[in-house]
Amino acid sequence: MGKTPILTFTKKGVFCPAGGFYIDPWRPVDRALITHGHADHARGGMGRYLATKAAAPVMRHRLGDIALETISYGERRQIGDAKVSFHPAGHVPGSAQIRIEVGGEVWVVSGDYKVVDDGVSEPFEPVRCHTFISECTFGLPVFKWDAPSSVAADMNSWWAANAASGRFSICGAYALGKAQRILASLDPSIGPILTHGAIENTNEVLRAQGIRLPASIRVTPDLKPANYPGAFVLAVPSAMASAWAGKFRPTSTAFASGWMALRGVRRRRSADRGFVLSDHADWDGLNMAIKATGAERVFVTHGYTSAFRRWLEDQGYDAGIVETEFGADSEDDL
């Protein structure tokens, strides 16, 4: 009989038999190791949680009074017969890849990641391993991101033109990660920056742990838009077509997402602009990260899994697909 794999794939999530823990489980379990604070990876109902110190404040903000233990990047922890450590994934503040070693064999679960430094998250660090579990949200050659500085310049030019014409600039972005990345790239000299309450709540949590962000103003029911002419308004995607956004007139609208690379998605969103900005790795980033691990076996999850697996097999990897419930948030959250 062959030995038990370091990780197995179950109905509750990715499980480590040697350590008795799950990684980012989507069903309640006793012990959960969490890669980052997004809702599809950090869910409620777990008996015990382990996450990075930088991810903990947002997790507590979202999940309440949970039994949460923290770990520093690079710190080795023995759990049962498994040695685990967390390493920067570059996805959002506090995000991590999780390294598991049992009997000298190493597997790494990437969670979500990007290889480009966004100036807010801890930069991605490749981790050598025998088996790598990689997301492939944007695992097609069509997905290639422009330099972040280029996207920032484009966004600020759009905002400045709108402000000069007396319009508000409303941009939809996920409350954790994307919103702060945009906020950090804006030029406050153009005008005031207003934020949806869900985004400002997250901003406050991250500022409290030392992440520097430009000043922003929470949009409250009594806020008068006329007092903030030409403002940049950062909104969660669900608010873009709501009465909340309707109070800002006249307006130019935009979404910031990797999916904006697809013209069909831009049309469906009916926004004036689509900024191609993602907190996930593009085609080149995925390939770069996988190569840097030195892994011989790669499992891919949530995204263009079939096409990306075939590509990896053509490159000589032993590749497979893991079915998960990750990526359950809307396409605008990417």
Side-chain angles (χ1 to χ4, degrees):
M1 295 179 63
K3 65 178 181 180
T4 302
I6 304 302
L7 297 175
T8 61
F9 309 118
T10 77
K11 293 182 179 180
K12 292 184 177 180
V14 179
F15 179 62
C16 177
F21 57 81
Y22 289 80
I23 297 175
D24 293 352
W26 47 86
R27 298 286 184 275
V29 300
D30 174 59
R31 189 162 199 175
L33 277 57
I34 303 298
T35 62
H36 65 284
H38 278 156
D40 58 330
H41 289 258
R43 306 189 185 208
M46 311 302 163
R48 293 173 290 169
Y49 296 82
L50 178 65
T52 67
K53 291 180 179 179
V58 163
M59 287 179 59
R60 289 193 175 99
H61 167 68
R62 286 191 50 250
L63 300 176
D65 186 18
I66 56 176
L68 174 58
E69 187 178 2
T70 62
I71 187 170
S72 299
Y73 286 119
E75 176 187 343
R76 295 291 180 93
R77 187 80 56 92
Q78 188 79 33
I79 304 178
D81 292 328
K83 296 177 183 177
V84 304
S85 55
F86 287 55
H87 305 266
H91 177 55
V92 297
S95 62
Q97 306 167 81
I98 300 179
R99 180 187 187 273
I100 309 98
E101 180 178 350
V102 179
E105 184 178 353
V106 177
W107 288 42
V108 170
V109 179
S110 69
D112 292 331
Y113 66 92
K114 67 177 180 293
V115 299
V116 175
D117 186 358
D118 64 13
V120 177
S121 309
E122 300 83 359
F124 176 87
E125 293 180 5
V127 182
R128 302 287 292 185
C129 59
H130 299 98
T131 300
F132 186 54
I133 300 178
S134 175
E135 64 137 312
C136 61
T137 305
F138 295 107
L140 291 177
V142 68
F143 295 111
K144 294 191 177 184
W145 312 147
D146 289 333
S149 58
S150 175
V151 179
D154 196 16
M155 188 174 292
N156 280 309
S157 294
W158 170 72
W159 177 20
N162 290 334
S165 299
R167 294 190 298 268
F168 291 98
S169 301
I170 301 186
C171 184
Y174 193 49
L176 170 60
K178 183 70 62 61
Q180 291 75 39
R181 186 179 179 185
I182 292 172
L183 184 56
S185 70
L186 294 177
D187 178 1
S189 70
I190 297 172
I193 302 169
L194 309 183
T195 53
H196 187 278
I199 292 174
E200 193 58 28
N201 289 341
T202 305
N203 289 346
E204 290 176 353
V205 171
L206 296 177
R207 286 185 178 116
Q209 63 190 80
I211 295 176
R212 298 181 62 182
L213 298 170
S216 52
I217 301 167
R218 180 190 298 268
V219 176
T220 59
D222 58 352
L223 181 139
K224 294 179 172 55
N227 294 337
Y228 304 94
F232 190 102
V233 185
L234 201 48
V236 292
S238 60
M240 292 292 286
S242 71
W244 182 93
K247 70 172 74 175
F248 298 100
R249 291 287 184 268
T251 300
S252 182
T253 59
F255 281 97
S257 168
W259 296 109
M260 292 298 108
L262 301 178
R263 286 179 294 178
V265 173
R266 293 200 300 268
R267 287 196 299 269
R268 289 200 304 275
R269 288 302 172 213
S270 300
D272 299 316
R273 289 293 303 271
F275 295 103
V276 182
L277 189 70
S278 178
D279 289 329
H280 294 254
D282 64 1
W283 173 261
D284 290 338
L286 290 169
N287 281 281
M288 182 189 310
I290 290 169
K291 183 177 181 180
T293 67
E296 297 176 353
R297 183 192 300 128
V298 180
F299 289 101
V300 294
T301 179
H302 64 295
Y304 293 94
T305 52
S306 295
F308 198 59
R309 179 190 63 180
R310 289 193 297 270
W311 164 258
L312 290 174
E313 289 175 338
D314 289 343
Q315 307 311 302
Y317 291 97
D318 176 7
I321 295 174
V322 179
E323 298 295 337
T324 70
E325 295 187 13
F326 303 141
D329 293 316
S330 75
E331 62 193 12
D332 300 305
D333 299 345
L334 304 170

